[in-house]
Amino acid sequence: MSRFGLVSKDILISTRPSIRALYQSRHKTTHFGYQDVSEEEKSEKVREVFASVAAKYDLMNDLMSGGVHRLWKDYFVKQVAPVPQAKLLDVAGGTGDISFRYIQRLLYQQPQHKESESHPSKQVTICDLSESMLAEGRKRAKKLGYTGISWVCGDAEQLPFPEHCFDCYTIAYGIRNVVHVQKALNEAYRVLEPGGRFMCLEFSQVPNPVLRWFYDQYSFNVIPPVGHVVTGDWHSYQYLVESIRKFPDQKTFALMIEDAGFRRVRYEDLTFGITAIHSGYKL
Amino acid sequence: MLCGLSAPLSALTRSYQSQWVTFTPLTQFMAHHTCSHIATCNAQSFMHNVATNPSHCHAVCMVQQHSNCTGPKLKTPHSLYMRGYTINHLNNNTTTSRIVDQIIRQGFNERYLSTTAGAVHNDSHSNHNISNGANSDSSSSSDTDDMSGQESYGSVSDVRAAVLDAALQHVPLLGWTEAAIAKGAEELGYSCAAHSLVEGGGAELFLWLQRRLNQQVEEHLEEFTLQGGEKRDVMLEALKQRLLLLMPYRAVYAQGLGTLATSPSLLGESISITASLADIVCHYSGSNQPDTSWYVDRASVAAVYKLTELCYLQDQSADCQETLQFLQRRVQEAQQAWGACDRLQAAAAGAGSTAHGLFLTGLNLLGLNSRSR
């Protein structure tokens, strides 16, 4: 009896992956956190998640990371090393965290452009899938006085820009929400000028197993409840935490960036690998 | 069979040990960077040439180990041997020594000038180069396509080198800054974001200038030697040329030195670049003996150069005549010191036997020397 059971389990185990592959190829599923959803659904679900978190996005970021996300973003923009004549495309940068830091850095280097025609914000374009995030960003930009920014609602997989029009492409904490990451990377390659730079800031895998255990405990047991308490939305934060786990690790992602055609692809771990900065050049 | 092998092996080890020299970081640096670029075909032809001369079997041993080396495992005595000693001692085979010289210099130039200084910087956040996984900068093994409209460069290192060269022209106006590098990149047709290929920014640009000038000095010395320049004139000629090449950057040179002060590792780089200049000058001056004079000569050349550079930066005289005279005096002193060092060594060698002789004379006078009775 048990032998019969064992045989059937073996058969089940050996056929399950192929059945899943068959299902996926027919219905084109992908992951939405730990759920399997179809690709159209994922796009819609991501939009919903960000529509619901937009209002308290910054507050939640502060609570989840203990304010460290500001340091990560500051370091990221320092690595981008802005120059005044560069044109920046900030994808999935709805609330403008990266763009505003970029502009502030340029204003610090050349304060004389603050009240002039050549304000650094004129060089910045922000593209996001979610209109509510863009609206939030517009509000903040108005308060800071950065009036030259272009706000575009668009999909990272099909950017509404011609080729060779930006010097620098940044995407911070956005690429794991894209349905086809490779397509987004190919689009990034397309819109960059030769010599242009691709920079990505994203959550990544922690190599150290002990730290990883603590990080997992914190992610799954602290973040969703706090999200529920602060914004009333458990599931969005559950998705955010699960999507981090599903995203490829540093090396794999770097290979994907190379596949898109970028050269000198490097990555740098921040905070033991919780976040990683990937960079590549279109050369 | 082992007995049969032991005799030549022991001969090899004996000759190897007789040329043992002390560790020098510079040659290890040079050797590491050189040997990874020695073309296999050149090394093989060299081995063939040397193998036909059985008296040079120890050189074969060195070359074999040299051409098999793939990384920083190369030991310093080998590198020293290849760089200076082998060239001097392959008397019967001038063609071979020229080949060796060319190979080393080619590898040295390729590696030393076309890659980043300390290719991957390991700062507090560990930085990873994905393409090779090793500490090398050749991230282009699979990329051979070129951008339309750009000059085709083989590797990212070549692009970086071209950007740095283009940026040097903008330094007198824009200083040692990222703006100068960005403008250099734009000149080549690349986006200004390519300036971040140069990780160190302005300081890296300054160090690049030093390396390029060293390379130009070496080329000048090559011509000088071919046209029959005397070895004792090499030092003066080289340092004069070096200062002449600095002329366009004189006004911003002090700023450049200032950029180095931001990080101790940059100061280390700067010292190694000065050391390489000293090495080049001493090599062409014929100071290639693997003993203490190696270090003394190079240290003295480096000191002379640095002092003269400081003088040059503050020189207000017409045509920098003051600096030239200063340089001539320092070079004379250095060359006198070199001679004094040799004489001291000879005297020291004789001192032992002199003391022994004096002692025996004393014994004879006192009548205590029973042996010569």
Side-chain angles (χ1 to χ4, degrees):
Chain A
M1 186 69 134
S2 61
R3 208 199 307 172
F4 183 77
L6 202 64
V7 165
S8 62
K9 208 199 290 182
D10 282 343
I11 291 171
L12 214 60
I13 289 167
S14 64
T15 55
R16 214 193 301 163
S18 57
I19 288 174
R20 189 189 295 152
L22 194 63
Y23 177 72
Q24 280 182 344
S25 68
R26 280 189 190 158
H27 299 271
K28 285 277 186 194
T29 60
T30 178
H31 54 83
F32 179 78
Y34 284 161
Q35 300 171 32
D36 282 330
V37 298
S38 73
E39 287 176 355
E40 302 90 30
E41 267 187 315
K42 173 161 180 176
S43 195
E44 210 31 63
K45 278 180 177 286
V46 165
R47 242 186 266 253
E48 277 169 22
V49 162
F50 283 97
S52 90
V53 306
K56 291 196 178 172
Y57 188 67
D58 291 329
L59 173 64
M60 266 318 293
N61 283 343
D62 279 331
L63 282 171
M64 286 198 293
S65 63
V68 183
H69 73 106
R70 292 166 198 269
L71 299 176
W72 290 332
K73 286 168 183 163
D74 286 340
Y75 185 76
F76 179 67
V77 174
K78 182 176 160 205
Q79 295 298 89
V80 171
V83 283
Q85 65 264 43
K87 293 187 288 293
L88 172 74
L89 173 64
D90 186 11
V91 175
T95 51
D97 275 341
I98 300 297
S99 308
F100 298 160
R101 280 173 170 80
Y102 184 94
I103 295 168
Q104 275 157 18
R105 221 178 153 80
L106 282 173
L107 283 175
Y108 180 75
Q109 285 169 10
Q110 290 180 322
Q112 68 273 19
H113 289 149
K114 195 162 182 195
E115 304 295 337
S116 78
E117 284 300 308
S118 53
H119 194 273
S121 61
K122 294 207 166 67
Q123 303 280 69
V124 174
T125 306
I126 299 182
C127 176
D128 200 292
L129 191 63
S130 157
E131 263 301 342
S132 36
M133 294 288 272
L134 285 173
E136 191 62 38
R138 276 197 192 94
K139 262 195 286 182
R140 289 176 53 192
K142 205 166 162 189
K143 244 195 279 179
L144 288 166
Y146 300 153
T147 47
I149 300 178
S150 318
W151 303 89
V152 176
C153 184
D155 190 355
E157 294 180 32
Q158 272 182 317
L159 289 171
F161 305 108
E163 59 177 15
H164 305 328
C165 53
F166 293 103
D167 295 302
C168 189
Y169 175 111
T170 58
I171 181 163
Y173 301 122
I175 200 142
R176 72 181 190 283
N177 301 314
V178 165
V179 180
H180 298 111
V181 176
Q182 193 63 55
K183 268 198 196 166
L185 295 172
N186 294 340
E187 275 294 282
Y189 191 85
R190 185 184 67 84
V191 301
L192 277 174
E193 276 183 20
R197 194 176 186 196
F198 168 85
M199 292 280 285
C200 173
L201 179 70
E202 190 52 78
F203 288 112
S204 203
Q205 314 300 332
V206 177
N208 183 318
V210 173
L211 291 172
R212 196 182 325 131
W213 185 86
F214 281 107
Y215 178 51
D216 287 346
Q217 298 308 307
Y218 178 76
S219 299
F220 288 103
N221 300 329
V222 174
I223 291 177
V226 170
H228 184 70
V229 164
V230 173
T231 64
D233 190 354
W234 180 291
H235 292 290
S236 296
Y237 292 99
Q238 184 74 21
Y239 160 73
L240 286 173
V241 165
E242 286 173 357
S243 64
I244 294 172
R245 299 305 178 291
K246 293 298 274 186
F247 191 71
D249 73 346
Q250 288 91 321
K251 282 212 175 84
T252 318
F253 186 49
L255 289 170
M256 291 169 76
I257 297 175
E258 269 204 350
D259 282 340
F262 292 102
R263 287 163 81 175
R264 199 186 255 215
V265 178
R266 290 187 174 175
Y267 67 85
E268 190 179 339
D269 283 342
L270 303 181
T271 324
F272 310 112
I274 295 178
T275 302
I277 299 178
H278 283 78
S279 136
Y281 291 89
K282 177 174 175 172
L283 284 172
Chain B
M1 192 180 80
L2 280 174
C3 298
L5 282 175
S6 67
L9 275 177
S10 59
L12 281 174
T13 12
R14 263 206 308 277
S15 59
Y16 168 67
Q17 280 169 355
S18 67
Q19 278 99 41
W20 185 265
V21 293
T22 48
F23 176 81
T24 136
L26 172 67
T27 47
Q28 196 180 55
F29 168 83
M30 277 163 41
H32 160 53
H33 287 274
T34 304
C35 72
S36 51
H37 276 265
I38 285 185
T40 317
C41 56
N42 282 341
Q44 279 171 358
S45 66
F46 172 75
M47 279 165 67
H48 173 73
N49 279 328
V50 173
T52 53
N53 268 328
S55 59
H56 295 144
C57 59
H58 51 280
V60 173
C61 175
M62 299 305 139
V63 170
Q64 279 173 339
Q65 294 196 25
H66 208 273
S67 56
N68 284 337
C69 115
T70 50
K73 298 192 280 281
L74 191 71
K75 293 202 184 77
T76 303
H78 302 157
S79 61
L80 199 57
Y81 211 82
M82 289 298 288
R83 176 82 178 155
Y85 197 74
T86 311
I87 296 168
N88 284 336
H89 284 253
L90 290 174
N91 316 336
N92 298 341
N93 206 335
T94 47
T95 319
T96 317
S97 60
R98 226 196 339 240
I99 289 173
V100 168
D101 207 22
Q102 271 172 20
I103 291 168
I104 289 172
R105 253 185 298 112
Q106 179 196 350
F108 180 72
N109 287 342
E110 262 179 39
R111 184 68 182 178
Y112 191 36
L113 290 173
S114 64
T115 59
T116 60
V120 174
H121 291 285
N122 285 321
D123 49 356
S124 56
H125 310 279
S126 54
N127 216 322
H128 303 268
N129 183 345
I130 202 66
S131 304
N132 277 2
N135 262 2
S136 75
D137 195 45
S138 49
S139 56
S140 64
S141 41
S142 52
D143 300 311
T144 48
D145 52 321
D146 23 287
M147 311 303 305
S148 58
Q150 327 297 328
E151 209 180 301
S152 67
Y153 295 104
S155 71
V156 179
S157 318
D158 293 340
V159 175
R160 185 178 174 279
V163 165
L164 281 165
D165 283 336
L168 283 176
Q169 294 152 20
H170 300 289
V171 162
L173 262 175
L174 296 171
W176 309 95
T177 58
E178 284 156 1
I181 306 173
K183 205 156 177 202
E186 278 174 337
E187 236 175 58
L188 292 174
Y190 291 115
S191 150
C192 54
H195 80 88
S196 43
L197 277 173
V198 180
E199 283 104 355
E204 185 56 40
L205 186 55
F206 183 68
L207 291 174
W208 180 262
L209 174 71
Q210 307 294 332
R211 292 193 190 103
R212 269 279 178 243
L213 295 187
N214 283 359
Q215 188 193 19
Q216 287 171 24
V217 163
E218 192 170 1
E219 284 164 9
H220 179 79
L221 282 179
E222 182 71 31
E223 272 180 46
F224 181 76
T225 320
L226 282 173
Q227 284 165 8
E230 291 290 327
K231 283 195 170 168
R232 60 172 179 270
D233 297 330
V234 160
M235 187 161 142
L236 184 64
E237 182 63 31
L239 298 184
K240 241 195 328 188
Q241 182 67 12
R242 182 67 157 84
L243 293 172
L244 208 70
L245 291 168
L246 264 185
M247 186 114 56
Y249 306 97
R250 225 171 121 197
V252 284
Y253 199 77
Q255 289 172 26
L257 288 173
T259 60
L260 295 182
T262 54
S263 160
S265 61
L266 293 170
L267 284 173
E269 276 290 328
S270 154
I271 289 170
S272 82
I273 292 171
T274 312
S276 86
L277 173 66
D279 190 48
I280 290 167
V281 171
C282 288
H283 177 65
Y284 282 94
S285 309
S287 162
N288 280 323
Q289 299 308 311
D291 51 21
T292 44
S293 68
W294 177 282
Y295 302 96
V296 171
D297 295 346
R298 279 150 183 75
S300 60
V301 169
V304 165
Y305 172 67
K306 276 295 164 188
L307 288 171
T308 320
E309 197 182 64
L310 284 174
C311 176
Y312 182 62
L313 293 173
Q314 298 164 30
D315 196 357
Q316 310 281 350
S317 64
D319 243 3
C320 304
Q321 279 304 314
E322 263 186 40
T323 308
L324 192 59
Q325 286 160 16
F326 182 90
L327 179 61
Q328 280 166 342
R329 288 195 299 269
R330 297 289 87 74
V331 167
Q332 245 177 350
E333 284 166 13
Q335 283 172 335
Q336 280 166 5
W338 289 7
C341 196
D342 288 336
R343 286 194 291 276
L344 264 176
Q345 274 186 333
S353 49
T354 313
H356 185 63
L358 282 171
F359 178 68
L360 281 176
T361 311
L363 283 180
N364 284 336
L365 287 172
L366 291 170
L368 293 171
N369 197 354
S370 55
R371 283 205 206 133
S372 55
R373 271 274 165 85

